[in-house]
Amino acid sequence: EVQLVESGGGLVQPGGSLRLSCAASGFTFSSYAMHWVRQAPGKGLEYVSAISSNGGSTYYANSVKGRFTISRDNSKNTLYLQMGSLRAEDMAVYYCARDLNSYAFDIWGQGTMVTVSS
Amino acid sequence: EIVLTQSPATLSLSPGERATLSCRASQSVSSYLAWYQQKPGQAPRLLIYDASNRATGIPARFSGSGSGTDFTLTISSLEPEDFAVYYCQQRTFGQGTKLEIK
């Protein structure tokens, strides 16, 4: 079964750090670009970050640039999002997603919740 | 950064009716536009990619059209399970259209 499973969410204080993971299975992970998308409670979807299939190219939304780092380990079939200098506005469910074709995401994880609060 | 504007914000229809959802881009995105459906507590589901291609397993009542800056998602005859929030995307996402039961 093709699957993405996120982990690593939780409660963190403002200014703190957190690393999210996304474990892929059921497909050749190293062949696909991957993305992170977030959704604040009761709000719409917000694009966060992208990484190419070999990890050589990355992209960040302006809202997280300089604070978040996307990476991947193709030997472990795992995508990461290192989040730093966290703010209240970063509180959201974070989804990882597989890129089918030019920013069309055909496989999504179930999401992991990040809560930023003192 | 491309801004996607969806309309209407809310659409109230009855099962069996036709739904037409719009998405306008602030600049041309060629045909690189996707549509998603999201139900409460669930991850989004890809419906349409490259403006008009149905994703795997998506019923034929869903169709997409458009190119450049103006795009449309059409649901030909609404089923009860189609009432949800719909998003368009080209990297960034539109703000969503809530399709609710009238």
Side-chain angles (χ1 to χ4, degrees), chain A residues 37 39 43-47 50 59-62 95 100-111, chain B residues 1 32-34 36 38 41-46 48-50 53 55 87 89-95:
Chain A
V37 175
Q39 187 169 35
K43 302 298 184 181
L45 300 171
E46 181 186 9
Y47 185 78
Y59 173 89
Y60 299 95
N62 288 336
Y95 296 100
L100 168 67
N101 177 32
S102 299
Y103 289 93
F105 304 163
D106 65 335
I107 304 296
W108 294 67
Q110 84 287 354
Chain B
E1 185 174 276
Y32 298 118
L33 191 100
Y36 300 85
Q38 188 180 33
Q42 296 184 15
R45 178 173 72 143
L46 178 67
I48 300 289
Y49 65 96
D50 290 349
N53 294 311
Y87 296 94
Q89 184 214 12
Q90 205 292 320
R91 181 179 284 167
T92 57
F93 291 89
Q95 81 279 17

Side-chain angles (χ1 to χ4, degrees), chain A residues 13 28 40-41 75 79 86 88 102 118:
Chain A
Q13 291 186 339
T28 304
S75 68
L79 174 72
L86 283 163
S102 299
S118 54

Side-chain angles (χ1 to χ4, degrees), chain A:
Chain A
E1 181 191 3
V2 175
Q3 191 171 239
L4 296 171
V5 178
E6 301 96 338
S7 60
L11 174 64
V12 60
Q13 291 186 339
S17 299
L18 208 58
R19 188 177 83 157
L20 306 183
S21 299
C22 170
S25 59
F27 65 97
T28 304
F29 180 69
S30 59
S31 295
Y32 292 86
M34 297 293 296
H35 305 265
W36 289 98
V37 175
R38 68 185 181 184
Q39 187 169 35
K43 302 298 184 181
L45 300 171
E46 181 186 9
Y47 185 78
V48 174
S49 184
I51 189 166
S52 61
S53 57
N54 65 3
S57 178
T58 58
Y59 173 89
Y60 299 95
N62 288 336
S63 58
V64 306
K65 197 175 296 183
R67 301 187 299 121
F68 290 13
T69 301
I70 190 172
S71 62
R72 63 192 297 162
D73 185 336
N74 286 344
S75 68
K76 295 183 178 179
N77 293 337
T78 303
L79 174 72
Y80 302 101
L81 186 67
Q82 179 69 46
M83 304 186 295
S85 302
L86 283 163
R87 308 165 179 166
E89 54 265 35
D90 296 318
M91 186 163 67
V93 173
Y94 284 73
Y95 296 100
C96 60
R98 185 179 84 168
D99 192 326
L100 168 67
N101 177 32
S102 299
Y103 289 93
F105 304 163
D106 65 335
I107 304 296
W108 294 67
Q110 84 287 354
T112 187
M113 181 70 202
V114 172
T115 302
V116 183
S117 175
S118 54

Side-chain angles (χ1 to χ4, degrees), chain B residues 2 5 16 29 36 38 40 44 50 64 67 72-73 79 83 99 102:
Chain B
I2 294 171
T5 303
V29 298
Y36 300 85
Q38 188 180 33
D50 290 349
S67 65
T72 300
L73 174 70
E79 297 287 342
F83 293 91
L99 178 56
K102 187 173 182 180

